[in-house]
Structures are given as C-alpha cells and as structure tokens.
Amino acid sequence: MADWSVLNGKINQYLCPPGNGVFTVNTAKERKASLHSALYGRTDNIEEAWRAQVEQLAEDNRPVVLGVCSDTGGGILRGANWGPLFLRQTMLTGGYDVDYLDVGDVRVIPHLLHDKYLNDATITNCRKALYGDSESSLPVSSLSITEDFCDEFYAAFPNKTLFAIGGDHSVSYPLVKSYLRAKKAQGVKAALIHFDAHTDLLVERLGIDICFGSWVTHILDDLPSHDMAFQFGIRSSGKDRGHWEGSFGVNQFWTHEIMERGAQSIVDETIEKLKAAGIEELYVSFDIDALDAHFAAATGTPEPDGLNPEQALLIINELNKHFKITGADMVEIAPFLNTNEDGGNDREKTLAAGSQISELLINALAENNK
C-alpha cells in the first residue's frame, strides 16, 4: 500500500511517542510515566512500544488520536501545549470509556507556527535539528507538519477517523483544512461544528493571519458554503452576532440564546439546516473555553457565563444521532494555569470536563471508523 508506506515514513519523522511532544526533561515526568504505563504497560523503551503499536495502524479499526503540543498560535495566557499529555492521562486513568490507537505527538519546535513565516536560513537550521538533514524538503513548523501529516493520513486511510488534542486553537487550522479537503475529494459534504467563547473570525491578529483568533476565517472556503460553519457558546466579542453572520455567512448561537431557548431547540434548528444542505459528515472542534469558567478555568482565555458540560454533551449527542462525526479536536486546555481567584482546583475540574466531552467524541468517531 503505497500511501501507507509514505505515511509510515513520515510518522517516523514527524511524530514522537504520546506525551513526549513538549521538549523537556523532567517537567511532568510522573504524568508521562502514568500515561506510558496506561498505553503500553511499561515506562521504559517507550519508543519501541510506540512504534510497534503504530505499525498496526493499517489493520486497526479504532479511531486515531494525535497530539499537537503547540501554543505558539495563542496570544493571551500560554500553556495549552501541555493539554495533550494531561488530557490523555486523565482519560486513561480516570475511568473514562475510551479505546483508540495513539499515533503520538507532533514534534514541535516551540518557537515556530507555520513555515510561511520563516526565512530559508531558519528552515534549513530547523530541518537539521528535527530531521538531521538540512537538505530535507519536509516542513518544520507545528501547523505545517500537522497539515502534511493529515494529508498523508487521509490519503492512506480516507475512511479512518482522527481525534486531535491541542494545543491552542490555531492547531485546528491544519486539522480542519486537511479534513475538509479530503472529504471534498471523496465527494462527501461535511460541515464544521465549533464550540467556543470566541468567534475566531479575525482576518489577522497583529499582522499574523493564522492564529487562535482567526483560524475559522481561513477554512471557510473549504466548506461546501460558509453557512456550513456552526458556532456554539459565543459570548466574548467586540461585535454582535449580526456582524459576524453578515460578514462571514456563518451560523452562530450565542450562550445567552442557548440558555433562553434551551439546547434542544438550538440543536434541532441546526439539524434542520444541516439536513436541508445535504450534509453527511461533521467535524467537531471544541475549545474548552466554550464552557463556563466555573467548569473550565485552566485555559488561556476563560470566560464567565458559558455553557455547562451537559448542554455541550446534549448538542453533540443529538448531532451524532443524525450525522456521522468523522473528525474532532479538543483544544486550549492549559493544565498549569490557575485563573480562578478563589484558588479552586481548576486543573482537575477542567480536565474532567474535557475528558467527558472527549470521551463522547472519541466514541462517536469509533462508530464511523473503518
């Protein structure tokens, strides 16, 4: 299988074992050991155990998990690069019902975002650092690597499903773009379901066009139409719903509307619109700050007056009854941040909420993985 051979080769270059995506020596080593024990039943020779599992990808019918440990595209409080390690460890040791094949983490140079922002000399130096070959043609920035990995993944396995863990929300740009491109090539009509406190519809932020606050803008043209982007939980914006829907053509449901009308009414309306457009499959991108800061304060931009986990779960469950969820991500969990002034246990509450929603998404992907 030629495409699998290409993908397998790039896995060796682009990825590292789960939990190792943040370049460090001792930080969070207990969490890493706990994760490796849960995944492989041991804490030594992890590279060998990881490669042996990845070699089974072609025959494995479970959804695939990928960590993208980058917060270079964030801009308020950093720390979401630790999300993939902590969320995995919580799901696997906290009694959550998840079963997946973990292909590992993207190898991240933490100072880089996308190759288009780099000069030739920097790219050459970073290729030598990552691949031991300054003459390599491979990308070196986290978003560029992620996009090429996903392109190869869908080329090799067009019917497999991928759950990614970020990282700040800029990582969804390559994840969603590659997914939509693959679905379009298959003749499948797919829509974006986006949970967030923020619209992420900036055209640029301080001159940078791809970041945590602008990624949605730059995937809209990959959708069947702009109105096949549905945003839930919006509440922190300098402009109102009319501006965003009128300017970009998206559908938004702000948190106050979900509270007033009820989550069931909102999702019923969404399902009706998706069916009318002939949508077959969905990608769900979940920024943990869609939830109220009471439930998710360990994040870079926590916001009050948000959704509760039950409302988010209801919306996803109802969508899953009518459409195939075939791609998803969970982003912006920053476990070392403590943003609540009351000194509560923000990390564990945020990880619990993120794990509960991730469990649902991974199981939805499992229903549709081939």
Side-chain angles (χ1 to χ4, degrees), residues 68 70-74 113 142-143 167-175 200 210-215 331-332:
V68 188
S70 171
D71 61 5
T72 309
L113 180 61
S142 56
L143 301 194
D168 74 73
H169 218 156
S170 70
V171 306
S172 294
Y173 169 78
L175 294 165
D200 294 359
I210 300 172
C211 68
F212 74 137
S214 63
W215 71 274
V331 300
E332 295 285 2

Side-chain angles (χ1 to χ4, degrees), residues 72-370:
T72 309
I76 308 298
L77 296 174
R78 301 294 178 88
N81 56 330
W82 287 105
L85 168 61
F86 278 73
L87 185 64
R88 283 182 177 111
Q89 193 265 347
T90 300
M91 285 192 293
L92 290 175
T93 63
Y96 295 90
D97 180 20
V98 289
D99 188 23
Y100 55 78
L101 174 65
D102 201 322
V103 294
D105 290 337
V106 169
R107 296 175 66 201
V108 171
I109 297 177
H111 324 293
L112 308 185
L113 180 61
H114 195 285
D115 281 12
K116 72 178 183 176
Y117 302 129
L118 304 179
N119 59 33
D120 290 343
T122 299
I123 291 176
T124 296
N125 285 340
C126 291
R127 282 172 173 160
K128 184 177 181 180
L130 275 183
Y131 311 121
D133 180 7
S134 60
E135 301 300 318
S136 169
S137 61
L138 298 177
V140 296
S141 303
S142 56
L143 301 194
S144 303
I145 292 172
T146 300
E147 185 170 354
D148 191 54
F149 168 82
C150 290
D151 285 347
E152 297 293 356
F153 175 81
Y154 291 121
F157 305 113
N159 295 314
K160 283 190 180 294
T161 58
L162 180 67
F163 181 77
I165 311 172
D168 74 73
H169 218 156
S170 70
V171 306
S172 294
Y173 169 78
L175 294 165
V176 177
K177 195 169 188 67
S178 180
Y179 168 90
L180 291 173
R181 195 160 51 221
K183 294 303 174 184
K184 189 173 292 186
Q186 296 170 37
V188 173
K189 293 191 73 174
L192 171 66
I193 304 299
H194 172 208
F195 288 85
D196 208 314
H198 314 91
T199 68
D200 294 359
L201 285 168
L202 299 176
V203 176
E204 62 174 36
R205 187 174 189 268
L206 298 174
I208 300 298
D209 58 344
I210 300 172
C211 68
F212 74 137
S214 63
W215 71 274
V216 175
T217 306
H218 301 290
I219 60 87
L220 290 175
D221 287 344
D222 296 291
L223 290 162
S225 58
H226 288 195
D227 61 347
M228 288 300 100
F230 293 80
Q231 300 184 307
F232 301 87
I234 307 298
R235 59 193 184 280
S236 179
S237 170
K239 300 183 184 297
D240 63 16
R241 174 179 175 177
H243 166 79
W244 299 113
E245 290 190 337
S247 299
F248 293 93
V250 301
N251 290 280
Q252 290 185 343
F253 297 102
W254 287 44
T255 303
H256 71 82
E257 184 181 4
I258 298 173
M259 298 296 186
E260 292 160 7
R261 291 178 50 191
Q264 187 67 56
S265 173
I266 295 296
V267 74
D268 287 345
E269 180 181 330
T270 302
I271 290 167
E272 184 178 344
K273 289 181 177 180
L274 289 166
K275 286 185 175 180
I279 292 298
E280 302 161 83
E281 300 185 20
L282 303 176
Y283 187 104
V284 179
S285 182
F286 203 103
D287 186 325
I288 199 67
D289 70 31
L291 301 182
D292 187 90
H294 172 75
F295 304 101
T299 186
T301 52
E303 302 287 354
D305 304 317
L307 300 176
N308 61 54
E310 289 71 26
Q311 291 167 319
L313 291 166
L314 184 151
I315 291 169
I316 296 170
N317 263 316
E318 290 299 312
L319 290 170
N320 191 43
K321 291 177 182 178
H322 297 271
F323 307 96
K324 294 180 178 180
I325 296 176
T326 51
D329 63 57
M330 173 64 68
V331 300
E332 295 285 2
I333 294 176
F336 286 118
L337 291 182
N338 184 30
T339 58
N340 265 341
E341 294 182 358
D342 62 10
N345 196 347
D346 294 345
R347 175 193 295 179
E348 300 311 322
K349 287 175 67 175
T350 305
L351 287 167
S355 295
Q356 189 178 19
I357 293 163
S358 297
E359 176 186 43
L360 173 58
L361 289 170
I362 290 171
N363 287 329
L365 294 175
E367 296 173 11
N368 303 305
N369 196 70
K370 298 177 184 177

